[in-house]
Amino acid sequence: MIYKVLFTLAFTILIRPGFSQTSLKDWGLKYNKHIGAAVNNLFITLPKDSLYTQILVKEFNAVVPENQFKFRHIHPQPGVFNFSITDSFVDAALKNDLYIRGHVFVWHQALPEWIDTGAFTRTELLSILENHIYTIMARYKGKIHEYDVVNEAIKDDGTLRTSKWRDIIGSDYIDSAFVFAHRADSSALLFYNDYNAEIENIKSDAIFTMVEEMKKNNIPINGVGFQCHFMLDSVNETLMDKNIKRFARLGLYTPLTEADIAVPSNQIGTPKGLASQANDYAKLMRLCLQNNSCNSLMFWGYTDRYSWIPDFWDDSKGAALIFDENYRPKPAYFSLIETLKQNAR
Ligand code: XIL
């Protein structure tokens, strides 16, 4: 009887198709890639033994705070920094050997009221920005080694987005933000981050021209992050590879920073929906493994229990992540592991 139990157990653990004893994290360490997830406040509020934290710590070697470092949250009033949450977050991440991507200093969204409605001169807003970046980077120097400095500054048509930053400072706010960040911590890696720029198109061309110019002018930028918020079946591996490589030729890192694959509601949970999603995730992993410039593959969350997608798409799409709402690994998870294994052969 006991042998039967042991045998069944061994079979389940070792041989069950698709099952892997190895976590994404182990593979990430092997390949020297950050494989991580955006994390919400549950990481610091739930007990350590909660499933949320257990799986996070077992599966990933990196995290990115989903909202905590955004301007409105960390700097809600003039001169007032709310570091209690970010401090707990950084401590918890480091205690669990999780590398941290800082996200984000300059964005047109998540601005506090005082910035949104304030009347500033160019000089005043530049100095607010410099102080914002300096205060955060100085606090986490030696703990956070990379930041998204500017997020989503370019529109899909390739023009510079209007925003408080651009309207008051002018288009050189982007250069200034990178210069301030480099001054604050010269050892940190600094990124421009955007969506819909994963393949060659008007938008990624504009970003390319911008960062090429920045490099020429010695603006301290180290990489371009491709967010990778995709709809099911829309990851084009060949075109992405081509695009990644042109940025890499500029000497830039090309992390995939916010990956999720949104499933149309009528395909959620269907075998076809799950299989297509698995296939899409495998492509992203392959791209990252095959490009040295891809230092990180970060998912925008890891469990469908907590994902921004259903809200953002009014529930017409969802189930975008690699674990389901009950923390069970989906085919997407196993396809990532399988891709990592194949790459090792
Ligand atoms: C999203 C968060 O996931 C939501 O919780 C929040 O309400 C809005 O922002 N691109 C980015 C991320 O760079 O910061 C966004 O995160 C998703 C799109």
Side-chain angles (χ1 to χ4, degrees):
M1 175 63 187
I2 184 79
Y3 289 112
K4 203 173 161 199
V5 172
L6 284 176
F7 178 78
T8 316
L9 209 67
F11 181 81
T12 321
I13 294 173
L14 299 171
I15 304 169
R16 200 177 75 196
F19 187 88
S20 167
Q21 277 183 299
T22 320
S23 61
L24 295 170
K25 168 185 181 158
D26 294 332
W27 286 104
L29 295 173
K30 175 173 159 59
Y31 291 124
N32 201 18
K33 306 266 183 204
H34 302 129
I35 302 184
V39 200
N40 60 40
N41 282 352
L42 295 175
F43 182 45
I44 52 172
T45 49
L46 286 177
K48 274 210 299 280
D49 60 358
S50 69
L51 259 186
Y52 183 83
T53 302
Q54 267 182 29
I55 294 178
L56 182 78
V57 164
K58 172 175 180 288
E59 288 298 339
F60 302 100
N61 61 25
V63 284
V64 48
E66 184 171 354
N67 289 306
Q68 299 84 339
F69 279 71
K70 290 175 182 168
F71 211 124
R72 181 191 290 163
H73 299 271
I74 202 169
H75 194 172
Q77 301 290 334
V80 177
F81 284 83
N82 175 9
F83 281 130
S84 57
I85 290 177
T86 48
D87 280 356
S88 312
F89 183 89
V90 169
D91 286 351
L94 296 184
K95 257 187 214 126
N96 289 294
D97 288 329
L98 292 158
Y99 180 87
I100 305 166
R101 289 202 85 240
H103 174 85
V104 49
F105 294 136
V106 190
W107 194 25
H108 60 288
Q109 287 184 36
L111 291 172
E113 183 79 14
W114 69 277
I115 292 281
D116 246 343
T117 58
F120 307 105
T121 64
R122 171 181 149 89
T123 316
E124 281 167 350
L125 196 58
L126 272 171
S127 121
I128 288 169
L129 181 59
E130 177 167 24
N131 171 260
H132 177 79
I133 293 176
Y134 181 83
T135 308
I136 298 169
M137 288 186 83
R139 188 172 188 95
Y140 298 117
K141 205 171 188 154
K143 295 184 172 175
I144 300 184
H145 302 286
E146 68 177 70
Y147 288 91
D148 288 331
V149 177
V150 177
N151 198 30
E152 303 178 356
I154 294 189
K155 293 197 295 180
D156 285 358
D157 66 5
T159 61
L160 207 54
R161 189 189 295 282
T162 48
S163 68
K164 194 81 182 185
W165 308 110
R166 155 128 195 245
D167 294 350
I168 293 186
I169 298 173
S171 54
D172 59 341
Y173 82 89
I174 299 177
D175 287 358
S176 296
F178 280 88
V179 169
F180 295 153
H182 186 66
R183 236 183 255 158
D185 179 357
S186 60
S187 65
L189 295 179
L190 308 178
F191 292 83
Y192 175 82
N193 191 53
D194 217 325
Y195 64 93
N196 283 356
E198 290 83 7
I199 59 170
E200 289 185 2
N201 56 29
I202 297 176
K203 182 170 188 168
S204 66
D205 286 353
I207 296 171
F208 185 82
T209 308
M210 176 181 81
V211 295
E212 194 180 32
E213 194 64 21
M214 289 169 81
K215 291 288 284 181
K216 258 188 227 145
N217 296 333
N218 287 323
I219 301 296
I221 178 169
N222 302 100
V224 171
F226 299 101
Q227 291 185 7
C228 296
H229 295 292
F230 285 112
M231 294 301 157
L232 195 66
D233 280 327
S234 63
V235 180
N236 187 320
E237 201 174 342
T238 314
L239 295 184
M240 271 185 77
D241 190 60
K242 193 160 173 245
N243 191 41
I244 285 173
K245 288 195 159 65
R246 70 168 166 162
F247 282 90
R249 279 196 295 274
L250 293 178
L252 294 168
Y253 286 111
T254 62
L256 309 181
T257 50
E258 307 185 7
D260 49 22
I261 311 283
V263 181
S265 58
N266 63 354
Q267 289 194 59
I268 291 178
T270 63
K272 187 175 168 296
L274 289 165
S276 299
Q277 185 180 53
N279 193 30
D280 288 339
Y281 270 111
K283 289 181 191 171
L284 296 182
M285 180 59 87
R286 236 180 347 252
L287 278 163
C288 197
L289 290 172
Q290 289 172 5
N291 286 281
N292 286 337
S293 58
C294 180
N295 56 338
S296 315
L297 170 52
M298 309 287 293
F299 308 108
W300 207 241
Y302 78 88
T303 159
D304 290 340
R305 203 179 188 97
Y306 309 108
S307 158
W308 73 306
I309 292 291
D311 266 358
F312 189 80
W313 292 102
D314 284 336
D315 284 325
S316 64
K317 301 188 172 64
L321 296 167
I322 63 175
F323 284 78
D324 74 9
E325 287 190 351
N326 297 311
Y327 295 102
R328 283 179 308 224
K330 290 157 66 176
Y333 170 83
F334 294 111
S335 78
L336 291 172
I337 294 280
E338 196 46 45
T339 308
L340 287 155
K341 272 189 193 161
Q342 275 169 14
N343 192 71
R345 278 185 204 130

